[in-house]
Amino acid sequence: MYKYACLYTKPKSTREEMADQQRKIKIAIVGGGIAGLALGAGLKKKEHIDFHIYESVPAYKDVGAGLALHMNAIKAMTLIGPEVRQAYFSKAMEMGEEDKEMSTEVILAHGPNQGELVAELGKAKGRKTVSRADLLDGLLELVPKENISFNKRLEKIEESNDGVRITFKDGSEAHADCMIGADGIHSATRSFILGPDHPATEPKNHDGWQIYRTMVTSEFAREHINPKWTRTVPILLGPRGHINTIPLNKGTRLSAGVAVRGVKFGTKGEVPDLDPEMYKDYSEDAQRIVRLVARDTSASWTAADHDHAPTYYKGCVAMMGDAAHASMPFAGNGAAQALEDAAVLDHLFSKVTEPDQIGAAFSAYDATRRPRSQAVVDLARKFGRIYAYAEDGMHEDPTKMKQFFGGAAGFTNNADLQRQNDDAMKLFESAIGGDANGTNGLAPEGVEVV
Ligand SMILES: *[C@@H]1O[C@H](CO)[C@@H](O)[C@H](O)[C@H]1NC(C)=O
Ligand SMILES: *[C@@H]1O[C@H](CO)[C@@H](O)[C@H](O)[C@H]1NC(C)=O
């Protein structure tokens, strides 16, 4: 049995009444980021589902965030539909590059083994970088306009015996059989599910990470840094921060960053300036990137992640993506985990034909996705420590580092996501007593319904 049943109390009495309930399952998705849009793109193909996405911002704006999607992200998109994968490819790359293998190269930029390549992360054919804004654009094209509203910031969630009532800050309301919160790291859905005072509700920056970052044109970057780093995705490691570049917008812009651990923030959270003088013992290539970033750090941000939530749902309300498991960006798998959530939920809802099956679907989702996505949160923290030369002398032993990254890549990148979907479905089917063949819950003729 699943932990939290929805509050549905409607008795199943006569066949007539049941037939009357054969209306569509109404799903409110709160949050139109990568997770919410990808799920919407899958749900729109299901005849028995009626969904609506409520996004808090009036329109998407390009904050210059770059993504280098790993193989598991691409596999998850493919499971939702080839058109979802295609939305990514058409935004992320020039034609004809789909067969080229790409990876994030992790290289030591400090110490006796300077220059050594210790990992190739997220190796995949057709892997390319994409700006978050471009990917959102691509996914948005897959969702019918009438099924998404902007400027809807979540204010209140109430459960009742006929579903979920959602109130937005603008005073408007929505009602649905269930709600899926994909409302990001500062999720109000998370606060509803865990409680506002739960220790895991608020994101935390345990290790004092600050990501100093700049956005420049690739042309400008080529004048200041080794041009090689305007075409690939390197992570250059050292004890006072790791340095990273990501080409964006089909190679016309570059996001360059220095991620520093253990930053001494001011009492009001003031961020100290990035001082290139501190990087004099790093490789020349790394130093040049630091100097480029220090010119203009206005695109910087303070990283945080979530401690483990004990559950990803309560009643008919679930959370997904960064709302459920925001992670540090260091393992390059945050968006991938959001897409895996979407793939599993999309698959489960293909068989949810009655409102009283929603609890079983959320329970199966929670059991399948929570352990794996939380392991990725832990893994990303560990990546950060290793990148910062802060994990038991690992940087002194590149072989050990290679083994670690190889194992980690196996866990994130090479996961069998078809199997993950199948496992979730098996849990769902056993919870609802086997009626998961899309028979819309009506017993065959002649069978007594009790
Ligand atoms: C999209 O929204 C319309 C209007 O609310 C609704 O009738 C329709 O079922 C929705 N489509 C899907 C695929 O959910
Ligand atoms: C679903 O349908 C398949 C094929 O018709 C059948 O083998 C399977 O037993 C059914 N599963 C359930 C849970 O009814």
Side-chain angles (χ1 to χ4, degrees):
M1 201 49 199
Y2 37 98
K3 283 180 299 186
Y4 308 104
C6 293
L7 296 173
Y8 279 100
T9 55
K10 280 184 189 153
K12 289 181 196 173
S13 45
T14 64
R15 290 189 68 81
E16 283 71 25
E17 274 181 31
M18 284 186 61
D20 191 43
Q21 285 173 26
Q22 299 320 306
R23 53 177 181 80
K24 292 185 177 185
I25 301 291
K26 213 170 161 192
I27 305 176
I29 300 173
V30 173
I34 291 168
L37 291 179
L39 180 58
L43 294 179
K44 108 173 160 189
K45 296 181 285 184
K46 296 175 181 40
E47 296 261 304
H48 64 290
I49 300 284
D50 174 357
F51 78 95
H52 198 92
I53 299 175
Y54 301 90
E55 165 56 41
S56 64
V57 301
Y60 296 124
K61 64 169 187 263
D62 190 352
V63 294
L67 301 168
L69 292 186
H70 290 192
M71 192 60 207
N72 57 320
I74 297 168
K75 283 194 280 193
M77 288 189 278
T78 311
L79 283 173
I80 301 168
E83 73 286 4
V84 178
R85 175 180 171 277
Q86 193 51 46
Y88 159 67
F89 278 130
S90 48
K91 290 294 175 185
M93 60 189 312
E94 320 287 351
M95 297 296 288
E97 288 179 25
E98 264 185 56
D99 283 338
K100 204 169 140 199
E101 277 213 327
M102 298 264 311
S103 65
T104 297
E105 293 171 83
V106 183
I107 298 165
L108 302 182
H110 181 281
N113 302 304
Q114 200 181 96
E116 186 148 350
L117 175 73
V118 289
E120 291 178 277
L121 304 176
K123 202 168 199 166
K125 271 191 183 159
R127 176 168 181 261
K128 260 280 184 181
T129 57
V130 66
S131 83
R132 182 171 182 276
D134 284 349
L135 182 57
L136 287 176
D137 266 0
L139 293 174
L140 187 60
E141 283 165 23
L142 299 176
V143 175
K145 279 201 169 45
E146 60 183 20
N147 298 90
I148 182 164
S149 305
F150 289 88
N151 237 332
K152 295 285 173 195
R153 186 170 292 278
L154 179 61
E155 167 132 317
K156 195 161 88 187
I157 305 167
E158 290 163 290
E159 280 201 272
S160 69
N161 60 5
D162 67 346
V164 186
R165 179 164 299 283
I166 305 158
T167 311
F168 300 99
K169 287 240 151 67
D170 65 1
S172 61
E173 289 187 350
H175 180 267
D177 295 314
C178 64
M179 178 193 139
I180 298 171
D183 47 346
I185 182 165
H186 300 286
S187 165
T189 312
R190 185 181 183 87
S191 182
F192 172 82
I193 292 172
L194 303 186
D197 300 325
H198 191 280
T201 297
E202 291 299 320
K204 295 189 187 72
N205 185 8
H206 289 292
D207 279 356
W209 282 101
Q210 174 68 16
I211 320 282
Y212 296 94
R213 199 174 50 156
T214 201
M215 284 288 297
V216 291
T217 65
S218 303
E219 203 183 341
F220 184 80
R222 279 191 292 271
E223 290 164 14
H224 289 83
I225 67 173
N226 185 340
K228 180 179 167 191
W229 307 127
T230 65
R231 292 186 300 267
T232 60
V233 182
I235 300 180
L236 308 175
L237 309 189
R240 281 176 302 287
H242 64 266
I243 291 135
N244 171 231
T245 60
I246 301 186
L248 298 176
N249 307 104
K250 299 196 171 177
T252 59
R253 288 201 303 164
L254 188 81
S255 169
V258 184
V260 183
R261 184 173 176 271
V263 167
K264 303 267 177 291
F265 296 101
T267 47
K268 293 193 190 95
E270 303 94 328
V271 179
D273 287 340
L274 176 64
D275 180 7
E277 290 296 308
M278 305 268 295
Y279 296 83
K280 281 208 161 345
D281 50 356
Y282 276 51
S283 67
E284 180 55 31
D285 269 14
Q287 286 188 55
R288 289 173 72 185
I289 299 172
V290 176
R291 288 199 292 272
L292 175 72
V293 175
R295 293 171 68 102
D296 169 20
T297 54
S298 53
S300 298
W301 55 291
T302 302
D305 66 8
H306 282 141
D307 288 333
H308 294 187
T311 180
Y312 282 0
Y313 78 106
K314 184 172 89 175
C316 282
V317 179
M319 57 182 172
M320 72 184 299
D322 277 356
H325 44 72
S327 71
M328 291 291 173
F330 312 133
N333 225 252
Q337 291 306 307
L339 288 163
E340 287 192 22
D341 291 346
V344 167
L345 284 167
D346 176 58
H347 186 53
L348 286 167
F349 273 94
S350 68
K351 298 290 169 71
V352 175
T353 50
E354 285 191 79
D356 65 5
Q357 296 170 335
I358 291 167
F362 282 165
S363 173
Y365 159 71
D366 176 67
T368 314
R369 289 293 306 141
R370 191 160 44 83
R372 176 167 162 78
S373 54
Q374 291 180 337
V376 170
V377 173
D378 294 345
L379 197 62
R381 283 184 190 170
K382 187 157 182 179
F383 269 52
R385 291 196 299 272
I386 294 175
Y387 286 173
Y389 287 15
E391 184 87 1
D392 332 321
M394 207 186 251
H395 58 283
E396 284 145 21
D397 188 350
T399 312
K400 228 165 130 184
M401 251 186 176
K402 283 177 197 167
Q403 277 167 0
F404 168 78
F405 286 123
F411 179 73
T412 54
N413 212 30
N414 307 336
D416 184 345
L417 299 189
Q418 179 65 59
R419 182 159 167 199
Q420 178 168 257
N421 274 7
D422 292 346
D423 287 349
M425 186 57 81
K426 273 185 214 140
L427 288 173
F428 172 70
E429 287 180 342
S430 69
I432 65 164
D435 184 15
N437 269 352
T439 55
N440 68 23
L442 280 179
E445 283 304 327
V447 174
E448 199 76 43
V449 181
V450 286

